[in-house]
Amino acid sequence: QVQLVESGGGLVQAGNSLSLSCAASGRTFSSYAMGWFRQAPGKEREFVAAISRWSGFTTYYADPVKGRFTISRDNAKNTVYLQMNSLKPEDTAVYYCAAQPTGVKDLRLGVNNYWGQGTQVTVSS
């Protein structure tokens, strides 16, 4: 089992950048695929980005964030990051960190993931 704690959310103007962090408990962090989801008011939670287990060699992004967001992981620090550049008002949402021991495919489905409590990101126009 793993516990996740997000940090780094806040209010930012459109066009600016923000970096989110997710610290995980446990000694098996590297064996989890990690990812980020977001939920805007009145909308369902949606996939944002994911990174594969172990070395994190493979990354995946939702189309709306490709080229603007970058996911990375530091297994020595049990932490996954989401660097968000060129932010837009439509990026406003609560961002959730997710972990999945069975891999990225299951993580992206959002089923049986471990979840953090979420961090608010607000982008003003």
Side-chain angles (χ1 to χ4, degrees), residues 77-98:
K77 296 183 178 180
N78 280 18
T79 301
V80 63
Y81 305 96
L82 185 67
Q83 177 65 40
M84 305 183 292
N85 298 330
S86 302
L87 283 162
K88 304 175 181 180
E90 50 264 43
D91 294 320
T92 295
V94 177
Y95 283 71
Y96 296 91
C97 179

Side-chain angles (χ1 to χ4, degrees), residues 31-33 53 99-103 112-114:
S31 67
Y32 287 80
R53 294 179 289 181
Q100 176 57 256
T102 58
N112 295 326
N113 287 344
Y114 293 99

